[in-house]
Amino acid sequence: FINAPILTKPLPEPRIGLGLMEALTKKMAADSQTEADVQQLAGDLPEEFKTKLATFFRRSAELLRHFFSLRSVFNEDEDGNGGVGPSESQKNRLENIVKGMEKVHGEMYELTRSLTDISRIKMFRPIMDQLDCAFKLHREDSSKSKGGFVTVAKGGFVPVAH
């Protein structure tokens, strides 16, 4: 500690310190929500919103299940152990699944743009993030072949040919 610098202002200015304390207090309050608070929040949501959220969750989960299942078949066929690679039918099926995921993602994107409540928007984020992850994997897989996907400003993906 002999060579440690001597701090002339070890604490932030009061204006900055106050803002920091307010932000930390809000964060701690949000993190300390109990299960009852969460149940109350969920119970206060309109039925129409809960139905839409559940529908988007089920649709995306089913599409992702098919996507990863078919993708694993592609990867098994390409492992060098005698696989013949994906058939045209499998490729078309995967493209249709990706188009379905794009449609669901686009619908959620449009819905979240119309929402004003940040907590409701955040409820869609995990679903959209999962779809984004699948799009990224598909883009990487496609870049190994002749096609791919690029991000567009709207938040979805569009196919492109190389």
Side-chain angles (χ1 to χ4, degrees), residues 1-125:
F1 293 107
I2 296 171
N3 295 329
I6 298 173
L7 301 176
T8 56
K9 290 187 173 185
L11 298 173
E13 297 174 22
R15 179 180 51 83
I16 295 172
L18 181 62
L20 180 61
M21 290 302 294
E22 286 174 352
L24 286 171
T25 302
K26 286 179 184 177
K27 176 69 174 145
M28 289 170 59
D31 289 348
S32 68
Q33 285 186 331
T34 65
E35 181 65 27
D37 294 332
V38 173
Q39 290 297 328
Q40 177 68 37
L41 175 68
D44 290 345
L45 293 171
E47 284 302 316
E48 180 184 358
F49 178 83
K50 289 191 272 190
T51 301
K52 283 182 181 179
L53 183 62
T55 300
F56 280 123
F57 173 78
R58 283 192 301 277
R59 287 173 63 196
S60 63
E62 190 66 16
L63 287 163
L64 288 166
R65 183 177 70 83
H66 286 288
F67 172 81
F68 283 108
S69 174
L70 194 54
R71 185 174 180 270
S72 70
V73 169
F74 283 19
N75 290 339
E76 287 172 9
D77 287 346
E78 295 173 353
D79 67 0
N81 293 324
V84 294
S87 68
E88 279 305 310
S89 155
Q90 289 173 320
K91 289 178 186 176
N92 291 336
R93 185 169 167 221
L94 182 62
E95 290 305 317
N96 287 334
I97 291 167
V98 171
K99 286 177 185 174
M101 293 186 325
E102 290 171 344
K103 181 179 180 192
V104 170
H105 188 282
E107 290 172 10
M108 278 191 286
Y109 179 79
E110 290 302 321
L111 177 65
T112 57
R113 284 182 48 130
S114 68
L115 295 174
T116 55
D117 183 353
I118 297 297
S119 64
R120 291 185 188 181
I121 294 170
K122 287 181 178 180
M123 291 179 192
F124 286 94
R125 180 57 41 206

